[in-house]
Every structure is written in C-alpha cells, then in structure tokens.
Amino acid sequence: MNFQQLRSVREALRRNFNLTEVANTLYTSQPGVSRQIRELEDELGTTIFERAGKRLTGLTEPGKEIVTIIERLLLEQENLKRAAQEFSARDQGRLTIATTHTQARYALPVVVQAFRRNFPQVHLNLQQGSPLHIAEWVASGQADIGIATEGLQADGRLSTFAGYRWNHVIVAPPGHPILARERPTVEELARHPLITYDTGLTGRSHIDEAFSRASIVPDIVLTAMDADVIKTYVSAGLGIGIIAAMAYDSEEDTKLRSLAADHLFASNMTRLAVRRGAYLRNFAIAFIEMFAPHLDRDTITAQQDEDTAAARQPEPAGA
C-alpha cells in the first residue's frame, strides 16, 4: 500500500469518477491511475468502486467506509508535513485564506497588515468566492482558513467558529425620499426598487426573511456579489441599496447617504472555518487570533477534536 494509491482513490471521488481528470490532477496517465486503484483493491481484498466496463460509476458499500479512512490517512500525512515545517521553518510558509469579496475588501485589510508585520516571511494568498466555494476549498485542503457569513456551518467536514456580528444598512442618493424616514419600515422600503446581494451571500437570507414575515415581495431589480457594485448602481439612481454596514464609509461614499437597518433585519454572524482534524501552523493560529481575538489554539483544537469524534460516531440503528 502506498500514498499514490490512496491519492488515486481520493481524486477519483473528487473528480466524479472521471479517470482522465484524476490523471491530469496527479500528473500521471489514466492507465496508471486504474492500476493504482486495482492494486489497492487487490491488497485489501475488496472492491472500492462500482464499474460499468472500465468506467468507474460509484462507490461500493465497503468503498464508502474505505474512502473515509483514506481521507483521514492523507490528512494525517499533510499534518505530519506541517508539524515538521513548524520546527524546520517556523515563521515561513504559505497561508491561504478563502473568503468573500465583502470580507476581503472591508474586514480583513487591518488583519492582513498586522499579520504581515508579524510574519513577513509568510506568503498570503486570498482566494475570493461564494460561501459554497469557500467551504469546498477549505474541506479539500486548497485553503487553510475560510471566512464567510453564510454556508460554512452546513458543511460537516469543517469546524466553524463565531467571528463577529454585523448589521445591514440602507443606502440611497442624497435627497431620496427614503432618507426622510429615520427608521423606515419594510413596507416603505418595498415601495422602491431595491438593490442588494445575491442569494446566499452577505446576510441576504435575513433580508429575505424580513420581507417574508411581512408577506411582502420586494422589487429587487438588481443583485450583485459585492457592495462596490451595489453602491455604483444606487449612485446611478437605479434603486435603494441594502449592504453590510462595514461597506459604507461616509467619507468615501460621498454620493450616498445611509440609514441604520438593524430594526428591520436580524444581525449576521461572520464565521471562520478550518478543516476538521487539520494541523494548523502557528502563523495560521496567529491570523485567526488577529481576526477573532476570543479564539486561541486550545479552543480551536478542542472544537476540531469534538467535531471529529462526533463524525466518527456510528448512526443509531434505524436512522
């Protein structure tokens, strides 16, 4: 048994059983991948994959159990490398943060600046994407830390932690009628075209819930992934904007005015996620502590251990 065999099995699952993609990912040939998988199955004395001719079509019942163990073995291999690097190159390496545009643009600059001062030899990589992409990148090991408001808690492969709370604000051009109302209602908002975040992004679910509770279908004329786009079209007069409070700066956004919206929409929690069972370098822990000072290595490790143990518990009979 060798790690290349284990990687071939893991990538076959990740690439939806497409051996051509597996071969490209592992920089080998398709026959080589097939051979690695067959040799592992022969050594284990059981089949991992269901087949239709030479094509892999799914996992066998034993295969479902085996791939879980393979994931753990490969994770521990990565952990061994990271633990060794902690001593051989303590404050050197690469840290990949997966996050949304809003967090990267408005919440992280101060943290990144502080981190660079403390760890000048660590190369930072900021990957921006949707919460679903962020969860996948962290769970697959492509990113070390994920930061988002939506989506992370739903992924059972991750350990998640509360970061900080924030609220939405309403933005509109100077002189807009809505600005005459210090505390507008959802009914008053709904009389105007609205511009806000795409579904599943930056607290959009709380916006939808507020209108749903009032049995109102708002006229959302435009949605976008990031607040900069929303503010551009609000400034152009296309509608009222609903954005994260951190994204509005009265000194920079001179073509807009804002109103508090915490009386309309529930507050949001930005969360941080790491892969369950993953060893975190000291500089990764330091980044987390700078972003969320209430977290430390003991807290993070304890939650990871608890989540990993819970995931390994067998399901109750008849579940």
Side-chain angles (χ1 to χ4, degrees), residues 104-117 290:
R105 170 73 172 81
Y106 300 105
L108 289 182
V110 173
V111 178
V112 169
Q113 288 172 339
F115 183 85
R116 288 290 299 149
R117 284 195 299 270
M290 292 175 189

Side-chain angles (χ1 to χ4, degrees), residues 47-298:
T47 55
I48 299 172
F49 295 102
E50 294 177 344
R51 290 172 170 83
K54 293 184 178 181
R55 287 191 308 109
L56 304 185
T57 59
L59 289 172
T60 63
E61 284 304 315
K64 294 174 184 177
E65 203 63 39
I66 289 168
V67 294
T68 302
I69 298 170
I70 286 174
E71 286 281 3
R72 289 207 302 267
L73 288 171
L74 291 174
L75 176 58
E76 291 302 343
Q77 181 203 22
E78 294 169 15
N79 287 343
L80 281 171
K81 290 180 180 178
R82 291 195 184 104
Q85 289 166 349
E86 195 59 54
F87 293 93
S88 63
R90 187 172 183 83
D91 292 336
Q92 301 175 33
R94 179 176 295 276
L95 181 64
T96 299
I97 311 296
T99 189
T100 62
H101 170 89
T102 298
Q103 300 299 325
R105 170 73 172 81
Y106 300 105
L108 289 182
V110 173
V111 178
V112 169
Q113 288 172 339
F115 183 85
R116 288 290 299 149
R117 284 195 299 270
N118 286 279
F119 299 93
Q121 297 187 71
V122 175
H123 298 281
L124 269 176
N125 178 27
L126 285 181
Q127 292 183 196
Q128 294 179 53
S130 70
L132 287 177
H133 286 126
I134 293 165
E136 183 58 37
W137 290 334
V138 176
S140 64
Q142 296 176 66
D144 302 296
I145 298 168
I147 298 172
T149 299
E150 313 270 0
L152 299 183
Q153 273 188 303
D155 195 313
R157 299 169 294 176
L158 307 178
S159 291
T160 62
F161 308 87
Y164 67 96
R165 286 198 173 276
W166 57 271
N167 292 97
H168 288 103
V169 295
I170 300 160
V171 290
H176 193 285
I178 198 68
L179 297 174
R181 302 288 299 161
E182 185 176 346
R183 291 171 62 85
T185 64
V186 289
E187 289 82 5
E188 289 169 328
L189 281 184
R191 293 173 192 154
H192 304 275
L194 301 180
I195 304 172
T196 191
Y197 298 103
D198 290 340
T199 300
L201 290 176
T202 321
R204 171 64 189 273
S205 59
H206 286 164
I207 296 171
D208 292 342
E209 287 167 7
F211 285 107
S212 178
R213 281 195 303 271
S215 300
I216 293 172
V217 178
D219 182 18
I220 299 177
V221 296
L222 190 149
T223 63
M225 288 186 67
D226 64 76
D228 290 340
V229 174
I230 295 170
K231 290 188 291 185
T232 295
Y233 285 96
V234 172
S235 298
L238 270 70
I240 295 170
I242 303 173
I243 62 173
M246 71 189 92
Y248 176 77
D249 185 321
S250 58
E251 294 183 4
E252 291 186 5
D253 298 316
T254 55
K255 295 182 180 180
L256 298 173
R257 300 292 182 268
S258 75
L259 291 172
D262 53 352
H263 64 292
L264 298 177
F265 312 119
S267 64
N268 304 277
M269 175 62 75
T270 290
R271 296 187 175 275
L272 179 149
V274 297
R275 190 179 180 187
R276 286 187 182 179
Y279 180 88
L280 296 173
R281 298 281 302 274
N282 280 337
F283 56 69
I285 295 293
F287 186 95
I288 292 172
E289 290 173 341
M290 292 175 189
F291 177 76
H294 57 283
L295 298 175
D296 56 26
R297 180 177 285 281
D298 290 342

